[in-house]
Amino acid sequence: MLMALGLALATPTVQAQPAAKGTSAPSDKQSGGVGGLGGVLQAAVQNHPSVRKTIADREASVAGVDEARAHYLPTLSGQTNQGADPNVTWGLIRLQQPIWAGGKIDAGVDVAESKLSSSEWAVLESRRQLMEQATAAYVAVIGNKALLATAQDGVNAHEKLLDLIRRRREGGVASDADIRLAEARLASVRTQAKDLAGQVRRQELELSILTAGHAKADAPLPSLYMNWEAPQELLTQAREASPLIRRKRQDVVTVTHETEVHQGERWPVISLRVDSDVGPTPTVYNQPRTRAGIYAEANVDGGGFVGYQRIKADAARLLAAQEDVAAASFEVDRRVQIMLNDRDLATQQLGDHQVVVQTQEMSLESSLRLYDAGRKNWVDVLNAQRELLDARLNRDRAKMTANDAELRIAVMCGTLDALAGLE
């Protein structure tokens, strides 16, 4: 009987699998459709307020481009004047069309278009951040559910041991101390299972908040197909796919065009001007009521020193923007390298823990056989069962850590964009 029980206790309900190997745009079928990881990612990038905010910013940038282009159009203005006779009021209507502005208008349009591109990268950046958070929550839900199942297996195994010890106590083989020890071990494992159940509920709540309640973790993780043996390729892919780096590079373009605007302000604006008098025009001016001509206007603020210092400031801003690109690239490299290290370490630990699980399963079987032969006591059997449970939990934690690192890298490399509906 003890041999049969030993085999039952040593058989895990949740089998360990090798860490996932990455994804190249996994299908909805792989991820459980809209209810799997794909549904979670789509719900997160569509319903979160931070994404809607960046989309609104992008719409404002679109209007900014239209505003900048409107400077090519003529300007209509008017004014009224009152002469010495308070009963006589005359006015002037002016239509002014810029002909040459030293490149200010063109550069202004370029600035607006560059800011629009930056806002588009900001939208993707916001979505990627949410994708990473949602993926982490999804992995945590799936991983903690696996831990909970393993803990529940441990509860069931300890309950069987306690029941067997009680029957042995009735036969005079086991003592009251054995029963108390088994009850204490069972209470400890039950507490551990309750803690894991609380972690599952917490992560499910976080996932529900990220997706505005539109999706949940109800399917296994997708299969990943990425070249983990070539970390440098993954670093390059992450840099190329990073919306943060793209946005910072676009900021350099924006500063460059803003510098062109300020340089153009040193030149006069040449315009075609048409003036037309309205009302009784004072004869002292002795000019036709409608006049047209080419005019040049220029402003020299602060004797020219304002413009000079502004251009110097633009040079400093350009250097700062370029350094910002380097800092963003450094941050992407740092995060990918740390996650690759976490993934490699967890994958190695996963294999080690699986060996420990197999060893502990054999140890439990051996303890049961030796107890049957009278060479071990119940303490040895209970210790073997606890060590087996700890080994299985460590194995599942290593698997969860590896999955979390792999999916975060997949998000940064843009591999999950199609799954999230971003392409």
Side-chain angles (χ1 to χ4, degrees), residues 3 98 145 149 161 196 205 236 242 245 261 299 344 376 408:
M3 285 295 297
K145 282 182 177 180
L161 283 174
L196 289 170
L205 177 60
T236 301
S242 172
I245 295 177
V261 172
N299 293 319
D344 293 341
K376 282 186 178 289
R408 285 178 184 268

Side-chain angles (χ1 to χ4, degrees), residues 46-312:
Q46 292 173 5
N47 300 304
H48 201 275
S50 64
V51 173
R52 295 200 296 268
K53 186 264 182 186
T54 56
I55 292 176
D57 290 340
R58 182 183 61 188
E59 295 303 317
S61 297
V62 171
V65 173
D66 294 336
E67 177 187 355
R69 290 174 177 167
H71 286 89
Y72 289 118
L73 301 176
T75 301
L76 181 65
S77 60
Q79 65 183 46
T80 61
N81 294 281
Q82 191 174 39
D85 186 352
N87 296 320
V88 177
T89 301
W90 58 279
L92 175 69
I93 296 178
R94 173 172 294 170
L95 185 67
Q96 186 164 317
Q97 172 65 53
I99 300 175
W100 184 78
K104 284 187 296 185
I105 299 178
D106 293 339
V109 173
D110 291 338
V111 168
E113 291 177 344
S114 181
K115 288 183 177 180
L116 174 59
S117 297
S118 293
S119 67
E120 290 172 346
W121 289 119
V123 172
L124 180 57
E125 183 181 358
S126 175
R127 284 173 167 165
R128 286 272 183 84
Q129 290 173 352
L130 284 171
M131 287 171 61
E132 188 172 337
Q133 294 174 20
T135 298
Y138 195 98
V139 171
V141 172
I142 298 297
N144 280 295
K145 282 182 177 180
L147 287 168
L148 178 59
T150 300
Q152 191 57 51
D153 285 347
V155 171
N156 296 336
H158 279 80
E159 288 176 344
K160 291 177 181 178
L161 283 174
L162 177 58
D163 183 61
L164 184 57
I165 293 173
R166 283 172 175 167
R167 290 200 301 269
R168 288 287 181 131
R169 170 67 178 81
E170 293 172 359
V173 178
S175 65
D176 291 339
D178 293 332
I179 293 178
R180 288 193 294 271
L181 177 60
E183 289 175 340
R185 295 287 177 82
L186 176 59
S188 175
V189 175
R190 281 175 174 168
T191 300
Q192 196 170 19
K194 289 179 181 178
D195 291 341
L196 289 170
Q199 287 295 323
V200 171
R201 288 193 297 270
R202 179 183 179 280
Q203 295 299 332
E204 286 179 335
L205 177 60
E206 182 174 354
L207 191 62
S208 177
I209 293 173
L210 286 170
T211 62
H214 289 83
K216 59 182 180 180
D218 58 357
L221 294 172
S223 299
L224 300 176
Y225 307 101
M226 298 177 71
N227 189 8
W228 301 112
E229 304 303 323
Q232 194 59 43
E233 292 183 7
L234 293 175
L235 280 171
T236 301
Q237 186 178 351
R239 289 192 208 104
E240 293 175 350
S242 172
L244 173 63
I245 295 177
R246 297 289 188 89
R247 181 171 61 84
K248 296 298 184 181
R249 287 174 178 168
Q250 197 62 48
D251 289 344
V252 173
V253 176
T254 300
V255 174
T256 300
H257 291 316
E258 288 176 342
T259 302
E260 294 171 354
V261 172
H262 296 154
Q263 289 174 342
E265 290 175 348
R266 297 180 300 175
W267 300 96
V269 177
I270 299 176
S271 305
L272 170 64
R273 180 187 299 175
V274 178
D275 292 341
S276 180
D277 295 325
V278 178
T281 306
T283 57
V284 67
Y285 292 127
N286 193 23
Q287 59 185 3
R289 296 183 62 85
T290 301
R291 304 168 298 280
I294 303 296
Y295 294 82
E297 293 180 275
N299 293 319
V300 183
D301 296 333
F305 287 101
V306 172
Y308 173 73
Q309 295 298 331
R310 184 178 294 161
I311 292 176
K312 285 183 61 178

